[in-house]
Amino acid sequence: MNIGTAAIESGVSAKMIRHYEAIGLLAPAARRENSYRDYGARDVHELRFIGRARRLGFSIEEIRVLINLWRDGKRPSREVRRVAMAHLQDLETRIAEMQAMAQTLQKLVADCRGDSRPDCPILDDLGSSCCT
Amino acid sequence: MNIGTAAIESGVSAKMIRHYEAIGLLAPAARRENSYRDYGARDVHELRFIGRARRLGFSIEEIRVLINLWRDGKRPSREVRRVAMAHLQDLETRIAEMQAMAQTLQKLVADCRGDSRPDCPILDDLGSSCCT
DNA sequence: CTTGACCTTCCAACGATGGGAAGGTGTATC
DNA sequence: GATACACCTTCCCATCGTTGGAAGGTCAAG
């Protein structure tokens, strides 16, 4: 299977497949006589793994850990759980921060008449000399 | 006022102040005979504006728009409101996506015993051949 | 044989920030 | 005055994940 087909099958772009290989996340693909990369079902499965993990917001380094645990059929599930929980915690912190931002913005937008007059609480607040 | 002092006063690092100048977000600062940049209260105020907007998650390009509106005392508040609302919408979309991720992860973590046995629903799910 | 779709490698960019080198300047202390 | 140290200047590089493109090789259909 060529890289393009593998990309379609796995949902990971050809560009990224090469990139993942370059940074050592994937083992170098087998090559044909063309020097074209050659992929099989196993590779596609692994790519799909990476794709799903990326879509869940795992970083490349987190995936590097996960994929090694995945390849090792005997790993204790404790470790996998630890990685997932750490990522979950990260995620929840970031969500809370973004919610705080959104709340502030909502308040500002609600206070702004949004008409043709120049008075605008949004800019007043952004420009306020107050802390942080 | 030197750039370092302006950085402390505004909460924007000296590195970033130079960067904002380089990309044209800020007008080139006045220079002394030293060729040191020289800042006044107005500049600090503007920097504080940028800092607050960054902390609210506005992108540089959004800030470029906002700061022009801010400098223009006669701008209609409608435009400011539009920028803020667009950003708010973005933010809320991203929050929803991250919440979906977190929910999926929570389910996976809850299903995983996290003991020394290799069975792990998290990896099973990541590796599953199912869609997307 | 030509055309177009694919593959290869390499280089650069994004957005926002930080690190650091190499060199000039300001000020305080000995 | 000399020395030390803190600050300033410009410049380049790294991050992280991804995308774009150039320049060139290969394959298959018309």
Side-chain angles (χ1 to χ4, degrees), chain B residues 3 6 50 55 57-58 62 67 78 80 97 110 112 115 118:
Chain B
I3 196 173
I50 296 176
R55 249 165 264 126
F58 286 92
E62 284 170 327
I67 212 169
R78 196 189 306 113
V80 182
E97 286 171 357
C112 176
D115 56 19

Side-chain angles (χ1 to χ4, degrees), chain B:
Chain B
M1 187 186 314
N2 278 346
I3 196 173
T5 315
I8 291 168
E9 292 280 310
S10 66
V12 176
S13 76
K15 275 283 205 204
M16 292 317 298
I17 295 177
R18 292 196 198 94
H19 179 61
Y20 292 151
E21 184 183 316
I23 64 175
L25 187 58
L26 291 172
R31 300 296 185 117
R32 301 198 199 191
E33 300 182 353
N34 313 357
S35 79
Y36 284 18
R37 287 177 181 80
D38 192 15
Y39 296 94
R42 258 191 76 114
D43 304 294
V44 169
H45 202 214
E46 198 151 313
L47 284 169
R48 205 132 43 183
F49 179 99
I50 296 176
R52 270 184 73 76
R54 285 291 307 133
R55 249 165 264 126
L56 281 173
F58 286 92
S59 72
I60 296 289
E61 289 315 306
E62 284 170 327
I63 294 175
R64 206 185 289 273
V65 175
L66 283 176
I67 212 169
N68 282 329
L69 292 171
W70 188 48
R71 286 181 187 135
D72 174 10
K74 294 187 301 299
R75 84 275 144 169
S77 64
R78 196 189 306 113
E79 292 186 41
V80 182
R81 194 166 199 264
R82 200 172 34 71
V83 174
M85 285 189 73
H87 177 54
L88 185 55
Q89 194 107 45
D90 263 30
L91 211 49
E92 282 173 345
T93 303
R94 271 183 292 168
I95 288 172
E97 286 171 357
M98 291 173 75
Q99 277 173 336
M101 284 182 211
Q103 204 171 356
T104 304
L105 271 178
Q106 270 161 358
K107 222 179 306 170
L108 292 177
V109 167
D111 287 352
C112 176
R113 277 191 310 270
D115 56 19
S116 58
R117 279 170 296 183
D119 319 297
C120 180
I122 298 172
L123 291 185
D124 291 350
D125 180 88
L126 284 172
S128 83
S129 309
C130 103
C131 48
T132 20

Side-chain angles (χ1 to χ4, degrees), chain A residues 54-91:
Chain A
R54 286 292 304 137
R55 249 166 266 128
L56 281 172
F58 285 92
S59 73
I60 296 290
E61 289 314 305
E62 284 172 327
I63 294 175
R64 206 185 289 274
V65 175
L66 283 176
I67 212 169
N68 282 328
L69 292 171
W70 188 50
R71 286 180 186 136
D72 174 10
K74 293 188 303 299
R75 86 275 142 169
S77 65
R78 196 188 307 114
E79 294 186 43
V80 182
R81 196 166 196 263
R82 198 173 35 73
V83 174
M85 285 188 72
H87 176 54
L88 185 54
Q89 194 108 44
D90 263 28
L91 210 50

